[in-house]
Amino acid sequence: MSSKTDFNDRMLSLGLARVSEAAAHASATLIGRGDEKAADQAAVNAMRDQLNKLDIKGVVVIGEGERDEAPMLFIGEEVGTGNGPEVDIALDPLEGTTLTAKDMPNALTVIAMAPRGTLLHAPDVYMDKLAIGPGYEKDVVSLDMTPTERVEALAKAGGVKPSDITVCILERPRHEDLIAEVRATGAAIRLITDGDVAGVMHCAEPELTGIDMYMGAGGAPEGVLAASALKCMGGQMWGRLLFRNEDEKARARKAGITDFDRIYSRDDMVTADVIFSATGVTNGSIVRGVKREPKFLETETILMRSKTGSVRRMIYRNPIR
């Protein structure tokens, strides 16, 4: 029999879905309004409010900056009623604030929960990321390979030509050389403007999204969220922290990181069972966005548990009061 302090992922999962749903509802009224900060703040407030109703002793390990940047859900913030299991929380109240403000695809509210001490405390720096979907042998590609070698290795492993591979890359000036090299292999590229948690998740469902691999540098906190999703969906991921200056290295040391060159696998970033919930804010290839009807708001949520590999898609209709 489980005690109140056990990490009962089955019972906690529906509560987690309510958290991401509440954040999506709150930011829905700001879709297309051009105000990123207001949309983010609405999602933050709703997410905090719902988290504090859960019977958990939670600590935010992946959040929105430091304590002095409140009212964001800051790193180290304690959430929940304080009754229940000790858990790590990784969250992005609105993954794609720009996407929301401009009413562009794939804005999500994202949250993951795992037992205390099992999620990587990634500092707010860049991370070089590489991800592929399920069904491949272990370490068929690696961060130590060139982009060309990765495409060729994945194509060989899948029994296809490099021209049959599609790579998802964040559209940024820093990726110009990467994009040119990948295109030179004959592979196709899906460029995204924001939202690299969704970008990594796309790899896990290539038959739906058409994406085979994700690569490029993005936020390290989002890397841990993406690894949480892939641990549930299947797939492989690697990340290496990138530091631009001594200040960023100091931030890493504060988070307990001393090996600055370490390559983290998916299971290094998420060392135990995890639950993950993402709710669509704008329409996307993983979940559809908030749908407004005369008397209802309707959301779609993907709720996953790594322990069972279960992926649940839920439609939630909520009367507008």
Side-chain angles (χ1 to χ4, degrees):
M1 200 171 84
S2 64
S3 75
K4 282 178 76 175
T5 55
D6 286 342
F7 182 68
N8 189 333
D9 64 324
R10 185 168 172 270
M11 297 302 289
L12 289 167
S13 60
L14 284 173
L16 205 67
R18 289 193 181 98
V19 176
S20 64
E21 284 166 354
H25 276 190
S27 52
T29 54
L30 290 145
I31 294 169
R33 312 290 175 190
D35 193 338
E36 296 179 21
K37 283 188 176 170
D40 195 34
Q41 192 62 63
V44 165
N45 293 347
M47 196 169 260
R48 178 184 277 126
D49 185 51
Q50 283 297 317
L51 272 171
N52 284 329
K53 291 176 182 175
L54 293 182
D55 281 330
I56 55 170
K57 209 169 178 181
V59 172
V60 176
V61 297
I62 297 290
E64 296 205 307
E66 306 295 330
R67 183 184 296 270
D68 57 3
E69 290 167 38
M72 297 307 170
L73 275 153
F74 59 83
I75 296 161
E77 182 169 348
E78 295 180 6
V79 291
T81 62
N83 303 312
E86 294 191 359
V87 296
D88 282 352
I89 305 275
L91 51 81
D92 194 338
L94 187 54
E95 222 257 318
T97 53
T98 305
L99 300 177
T100 304
K102 295 182 177 179
D103 195 3
M104 291 167 70
N106 284 317
L108 302 167
T109 60
V110 184
I111 185 162
M113 184 191 294
R116 177 70 50 83
T118 62
L119 295 180
L120 176 68
H121 293 212
D124 191 9
V125 300
Y126 280 126
M127 176 186 275
D128 190 17
K129 302 171 196 177
L130 175 63
I132 57 174
Y136 294 100
E137 284 187 22
K138 198 166 180 278
D139 299 330
V140 68
V141 293
S142 80
L143 274 177
D144 288 330
M145 288 179 173
T146 66
T148 302
E149 288 168 343
R150 294 170 194 167
V151 171
E152 289 173 349
L154 195 68
K156 186 179 177 186
V160 298
K161 301 190 293 289
S163 57
D164 295 318
I165 297 291
T166 299
V167 182
C168 183
I169 300 175
L170 201 57
E171 188 174 17
R172 294 288 186 272
R174 64 178 177 268
H175 289 150
E176 281 174 7
D177 292 345
L178 171 64
I179 291 165
E181 185 174 341
V182 170
R183 285 211 171 116
T185 67
I189 293 178
R190 174 92 53 89
L191 288 172
I192 55 171
T193 57
D194 290 277
D196 67 347
V197 174
V200 171
M201 288 172 72
H202 286 150
C203 300
E205 299 183 314
E207 63 287 345
L208 287 178
T209 63
I211 289 169
D212 304 291
M213 179 159 47
Y214 180 93
M215 61 172 104
E222 290 83 357
V224 178
L225 276 164
S228 300
L230 275 198
K231 191 162 180 121
C232 298
M233 301 172 91
Q236 301 177 53
M237 181 175 174
W238 303 266
R240 181 197 281 124
L241 298 175
L242 301 172
F243 302 100
R244 293 172 296 182
N245 51 48
E246 282 303 316
D247 178 52
E248 291 191 346
K249 286 184 177 178
R251 226 179 286 174
R253 285 189 197 98
K254 193 175 164 188
I257 291 164
T258 51
D259 182 355
F260 296 146
D261 300 313
R262 180 175 173 182
I263 291 176
Y264 295 89
S265 69
R266 184 197 73 183
D267 293 344
D268 292 330
M269 291 188 256
V270 186
T271 62
D273 285 318
V274 65
I275 46 181
F276 178 96
S277 181
T279 302
V281 176
T282 58
N283 280 325
S285 37
I286 297 166
V287 282
R288 70 170 193 243
V290 179
K291 189 177 168 190
R292 187 177 288 277
E293 295 178 17
K295 294 183 178 177
F296 294 91
L297 273 183
E298 190 174 284
T299 54
E300 184 180 15
T301 297
I302 184 168
L303 176 64
M304 307 186 286
R305 295 163 59 207
S306 68
K307 189 175 188 175
T308 56
S310 62
V311 177
R312 178 177 282 160
R313 291 179 179 275
M314 302 188 299
I315 303 296
Y316 175 47
R317 290 186 81 198
N318 194 37
I320 297 171
R321 292 182 178 84

